[in-house]
Amino acid sequence: MTRRRITAHVTSRIRIAALLTVAACVIAVSTTVPSAQSRAQTPSWMDPTLSPQERADLLLAEMTLDEKIAMVHGAPGVYTGNIPANTRLGIPSINMQDGPVGIARMPQVTALPAPIALAASWDTEMAQQYGTLIGEEAQSKGVNVLLGPMINIVRAPQAGRNFEGFGEDPYLSAAIAVAEIEALQGLGVIATPKHYVNNEQEHGRGQGSSQVDERTRHEIYLQPFRAAIEADAGAVMCAYNKIDDVYACENDHVLNEILKDELGFQGWVMSDWGATHSTVAAALGGLDMEMPGGEVTDGIFFGTQLKEAIESGAVPAERLDDMVRRVLIPMFQMGLFDNPMTGKHYSAARTDAHVQTAREIAAQGTVLLKNEDVLPLDPASLTSIVVIGTAAGKEPLSVGGGSAEVISAMVVPPLEGITERAGSGVPVDYAQGDDGASIDEAVQLAEQSDVAIVFVGVYSSEGWDRETLVLPEGQDELVRRIAAVNPRTVVVMNVPAQVLMPWTDEVPAILVAWYPGQENGNAIASVLFGDTNPAARLPVTFVNNTSELPTVDVNEPMGNPVHYDEGLLVGYRWYNANDVEPLFPFGHGLSYTTFDYAHLALTGPAEGQVQVALDVANTGSRAGAEVVQLYVDFPPGLGEPPGQLKGFQKLYLDVGETEVLTFTLTADELSYWDTSISGWTVPTGTFQIDVGASSRDIRLGGSFDVINPDLSAPLTAQPDTTDPDAAQPDAAPPTATYLLGLAGLLILVAVGMLIIRRKKGQSQDQGDSRTA
Ligand code: BGC
């Protein structure tokens, strides 16, 4: 799987780095033998042969109470968050900066496409590149803790921060987050997945309580956090909101019981900015660091007040040691002591290579929703183009707002990118289309042009949720008027997440480019003209109208407390369960080529796994990438939503090329949160699996029975008879995996018979000896 390949890359990079370090040490040792005096001066915790835990303990033993307190709250400084260096003990400063979209609010950085666009690439290698780019710019700026990624789930389409996250599905979010975190931390930048937990809207975020049942919390909202922790994220940011009426940053249940005990998180929990509400309750409830903090005497909760609480015994001294240890361990782990950052906040971080990467990710994240023979555009056969919309010209919608906003001084507006790519032979006209006269002008130009490209969109930011999913400022009407006069109208949407698209049937081509970052115009031109063959898929479902939504009507104020009444039926799960045909389903996206799926083969359960293999072929006339998606139906009667994403792979295929793909399902993918034991259970019964090009475009299916929850034998897997290739008498021969499966089955049966015969023999022997 792609994810494995990436892990292997990262691991091998770390290995190479480690080898180089060892080599460097050997050279250093052989040329400069330290004097007895300098050896004595090297503090014990600087011995790199010790484990991060041992080093943290050695250092902790030297720290005074005041020094410990200074490590658990922020102070003023040049970064978003600052823990000053301790020069007496040689502890480097902790420099924290937002965030999920790149280095926020600092000059000379790269404005990346929004994370929702990254998720739309369904490409963990893209996520690795995204993390690497942010990590490198963090290094240049001296940032050693990144306040991201943002891994809250898109539950309500109008929520203000949806663009910062990875969509409505926990499996996709987890995969993208892990790849990004591994890349970041591979460069020595500590990641801070946020906001823990159930911070899925802005409305009332400071006081609102998210009321979520435990099974839903585990199966949906905790999944990306669980994966991030398995990927060794060094810090986690707790959220502003309450959970079951207790603030997230002093919530013993979600911090101590779930995050630290159940999920085994070893790093530190920092509060969101101003999300600390107490001293003793927060310290005992699991918070390890108050941010942004302030001077120690400021009346902040983890300054003088925490010191007094330690002195009075209201907070045990061991708890403070635990907080500090949790900060120090990731610092040692990620090399903050051994390779301190040398970058400065004012240094330039953006490079040409970064800009290229930003363009590539933006293009790879652009979803082709609809295309009736209009795209790609061919300049050789075009005589004129008109580009319409403020987002195409003077007000490009390239980045979202709030703490994640990246200053994008070098934005390429769509008009510029398209004009340049169209070349001098194709005149490109432009109209803003934002008021009466300018709309008339746009319509007139559209009438005269070969192709009309209309940019529509909406701004979104932290701090507020959109009140409606309707595109603002009459943009729906603009699209309709253009489409009425030009049969080759292409709509490009710069949106943070879902919007309503009542004109879908009236236009032949639609693209979602999200917030594409500074390479906006170049990226969209590359997709429009076919330099990039679109290969993105929706990480969220687009509905026909708001009455289809699982969450509260967008015209109602979002509830407070927020009742997660839809439970497990978040996003596409809801539409599947309620038989609603959405406008564009989760996982949907077109290409300029076509793909064929065949020869599904299932093997297992055996040795804790089920293998799913199939052939995917590029049957069109262009090289391109397909995102093969695997959805699982649990045995009936458990209350599990139908068709849950449990695997995906992105596959680049040349024209005519076929590749065999294999998915592996383990207990991780096949268990549900069993409230009766407060744990994960693999249920027995029949699982159905569907493989397809979206959650609604299923090409092949099969089923298998789980008889033993440990996924051991017997083998029961069957492709569906609905698989045309499996059913056809003249179908191509089964794939090797299938044959292996059959061979496995025969061997198991033979071994089983042998065992039974031997056992019979033994019991006969025993019986014989007893009767003797
Ligand atoms: C946001 C966090 C951000 C912090 C620091 C808060 O308003 O919720 O995501 O990291 O500010 O800028």
Side-chain angles (χ1 to χ4, degrees):
M1 268 179 78
T2 329
R3 187 162 147 200
R4 283 221 195 87
R5 277 211 302 274
I6 281 159
T7 315
H9 286 165
V10 174
T11 319
S12 62
R13 213 164 18 126
I14 293 170
R15 266 196 214 118
I16 291 167
L19 283 175
L20 289 176
T21 315
V22 170
C25 291
V26 170
I27 292 164
V29 166
S30 60
T31 52
T32 53
V33 180
S35 67
Q37 194 194 6
S38 75
R39 271 203 308 271
Q41 277 168 356
T42 306
S44 54
W45 56 87
M46 288 308 290
D47 177 353
T49 63
L50 300 176
S51 71
Q53 286 77 1
E54 289 169 322
R55 296 175 73 179
D57 279 335
L58 287 168
L59 175 50
L60 196 57
E62 296 297 317
M63 293 174 78
T64 64
L65 177 57
D66 285 334
E67 285 171 334
K68 291 177 188 173
I69 295 283
M71 288 296 290
V72 297
H73 67 85
V78 296
Y79 295 96
T80 307
N82 307 274
I83 307 278
N86 177 327
T87 44
R88 184 181 82 87
L89 296 170
I91 305 176
S93 62
I94 303 182
N95 309 333
M96 309 175 182
Q97 194 74 17
D98 287 297
V101 192
I103 306 299
R105 301 183 307 283
M106 280 190 165
Q108 301 189 68
V109 300
T110 308
L112 280 155
I116 189 99
L118 174 65
S121 75
W122 288 61
D123 189 337
T124 50
E125 286 189 24
M126 285 285 130
Q128 190 208 4
Q129 289 184 28
Y130 200 93
T132 300
L133 189 159
I134 298 179
E136 287 173 357
E137 297 203 346
Q139 286 178 327
S140 301
K141 293 283 190 190
V143 172
N144 49 22
V145 174
L146 186 89
L147 304 174
M150 203 298 272
I151 53 177
N152 295 126
I153 294 285
V154 173
R155 167 178 180 264
Q158 70 273 42
R161 302 187 78 168
N162 284 344
F163 72 91
E164 290 185 50
F166 302 134
E168 70 190 25
D169 181 75
Y171 185 90
L172 175 63
S173 300
I176 300 290
V178 164
E180 184 183 331
I181 290 169
E182 286 179 348
L184 264 175
Q185 297 201 150
L187 291 171
V189 179
I190 295 174
T192 316
K194 62 189 187 181
H195 310 85
Y196 187 81
V197 59
N198 290 123
N199 180 188
E200 270 76 37
Q201 65 182 52
E202 291 301 275
H203 179 85
R205 73 174 182 181
Q207 325 78 36
S209 179
S210 298
Q211 315 287 121
V212 190
D213 70 85
E214 220 43 71
R215 180 169 173 183
T216 300
R217 179 156 29 244
H218 276 85
E219 292 189 21
I220 307 284
Y221 300 99
L222 286 173
Q223 281 309 312
F225 285 100
R226 179 186 176 193
I229 288 154
E230 279 168 12
D232 253 346
V236 162
M237 186 187 290
C238 53
Y240 283 121
N241 51 284
K242 296 176 184 168
I243 294 145
D244 296 331
D245 301 318
V246 180
Y247 280 114
C249 290
E250 56 187 51
N251 194 309
D252 177 63
H253 177 54
V254 300
L255 294 181
N256 288 329
E257 288 178 13
I258 298 182
L259 185 69
K260 293 181 178 175
D261 293 346
E262 187 187 313
L263 303 181
F265 177 57
Q266 304 283 316
W268 83 91
V269 176
M270 73 172 81
S271 72
D272 199 339
W273 267 230
T276 309
H277 296 277
S278 60
T279 299
V280 176
L284 299 181
L287 180 68
D288 301 309
M289 180 185 281
E290 177 185 6
M291 290 307 294
E295 300 293 356
V296 77
T297 47
D298 265 359
I300 54 170
F301 296 104
F302 276 21
T304 308
Q305 294 189 42
L306 181 59
K307 186 178 174 185
E308 284 165 10
I310 300 287
E311 282 165 345
S312 74
V315 173
E318 299 77 52
R319 174 67 190 108
L320 178 62
D321 286 352
D322 175 45
M323 295 177 186
V324 178
R325 194 182 291 110
R326 284 173 170 279
V327 179
L328 293 176
I329 288 174
M331 288 178 74
F332 280 116
Q333 235 163 17
M334 251 58 90
L336 269 56
F337 281 84
D338 302 331
N339 309 299
M341 295 255 174
T342 50
K344 299 280 176 258
H345 68 281
Y346 47 78
S347 310
R350 184 178 51 233
T351 65
D352 290 346
H354 290 173
V355 174
Q356 282 302 321
T357 303
R359 178 196 295 199
E360 172 73 5
I361 298 172
Q364 292 294 335
T366 300
V367 189
L368 178 61
L369 287 182
K370 180 174 178 181
N371 185 21
E372 290 169 354
D373 285 337
V374 176
L375 297 174
L377 302 176
D378 175 9
S381 61
L382 286 178
T383 53
S384 57
I385 298 175
V386 59
V387 174
I388 296 162
T390 50
K394 65 172 182 167
E395 285 165 16
L397 283 162
S398 307
V399 293
S403 61
E405 179 163 0
V406 176
I407 300 169
S408 44
M410 289 178 47
V411 172
V412 179
L415 177 61
E416 191 180 312
I418 292 170
T419 308
E420 194 178 321
R421 179 59 182 82
S424 53
V426 187
V428 179
D429 279 317
Y430 174 67
Q432 285 183 191
D434 58 347
D435 61 28
S438 149
I439 293 175
D440 291 345
E441 184 198 358
V443 172
Q444 199 186 0
L445 287 169
E447 230 169 346
Q448 299 159 2
S449 302
D450 264 2
V451 174
I453 309 173
V454 190
F455 282 79
V456 296
V458 57
Y459 181 67
S460 182
S461 169
E462 176 183 347
W464 44 272
D465 302 316
R466 281 180 286 151
E467 279 173 12
T468 169
L469 295 184
V470 175
L471 283 170
E473 290 147 20
Q475 296 181 85
D476 288 338
E477 186 53 24
L478 174 69
V479 171
R480 287 194 150 124
R481 287 197 54 195
I482 303 301
V485 297
N486 190 319
R488 300 182 74 200
T489 296
V490 180
V491 178
V492 179
M493 305 200 298
N494 289 129
V495 291
Q498 299 98 316
V499 292
L500 295 178
M501 304 159 60
W503 32 258
T504 297
D505 289 342
E506 297 161 48
V507 297
I510 307 170
L511 288 152
V512 193
W514 318 102
Y515 296 152
Q518 69 179 62
E519 280 295 289
N520 186 343
N522 291 331
I524 195 64
S526 151
V527 175
L528 289 166
F529 289 91
D531 306 328
T532 298
N533 187 351
R537 305 290 180 262
L538 287 180
V540 291
T541 309
F542 278 65
V543 291
N544 297 287
N545 55 65
T546 50
S547 66
E548 292 175 354
L549 293 173
T551 44
V552 286
D553 189 298
V554 284
N555 297 309
E556 299 290 322
M558 295 172 75
N560 182 8
V562 190
H563 295 282
Y564 285 50
D565 287 339
E566 73 288 350
L568 296 169
L569 301 182
V570 179
Y572 65 95
R573 291 161 160 79
W574 171 269
Y575 309 107
N576 285 347
N578 291 292
D579 241 348
V580 173
E581 189 68 48
L583 181 63
F584 292 109
F586 175 80
H588 169 75
L590 304 173
S591 164
Y592 297 148
T593 187
T594 49
F595 299 94
D596 199 30
Y597 293 49
H599 309 136
L600 184 86
L602 281 155
T603 342
E607 293 175 2
Q609 294 186 348
V610 175
Q611 302 262 337
V612 182
L614 72 151
D615 297 345
V616 180
N618 181 346
T619 50
S621 55
R622 275 171 187 262
E626 174 70 325
V627 179
V628 181
Q629 303 162 38
L630 184 146
Y631 294 91
V632 172
D633 277 343
F634 279 67
L638 296 166
E640 277 300 292
Q644 302 180 46
L645 182 75
K646 293 293 180 183
F648 67 90
Q649 291 187 51
K650 191 163 192 175
L651 194 64
Y652 292 85
L653 294 173
D654 280 330
V655 175
E657 195 187 350
T658 301
E659 210 176 287
V660 182
L661 279 188
T662 309
F663 291 95
T664 301
L665 295 171
T666 64
D668 270 355
E669 288 81 26
L670 301 177
S671 34
Y672 72 103
W673 184 257
D674 185 346
T675 43
S676 69
I677 57 160
S678 289
W680 295 98
T681 294
V682 176
T684 55
T686 302
F687 283 77
Q688 170 75 30
I689 61 126
D690 289 318
V691 179
S694 88
S695 59
R696 290 292 173 115
D697 181 4
I698 301 303
R699 308 287 180 85
L700 300 171
S703 64
F704 57 87
D705 290 337
V706 169
I707 292 165
N708 303 321
D710 64 354
L711 298 175
S712 58
L715 305 173
T716 59
Q718 287 296 327
D720 271 358
T721 45
T722 50
D723 172 358
D725 290 293
Q728 278 164 23
D730 60 349
T735 57
T737 320
Y738 191 50
L739 288 175
L740 272 177
L742 278 178
L745 174 63
L746 289 174
I747 291 170
L748 261 178
V749 170
V751 170
M753 283 173 68
L754 263 176
I755 292 171
I756 292 167
R757 284 182 64 175
R758 282 195 63 182
K759 278 209 167 147
K760 265 194 182 164
Q762 273 171 9
S763 50
Q764 239 164 25
D765 288 345
Q766 280 164 4
D768 289 347
S769 61
R770 266 199 305 272
T771 48

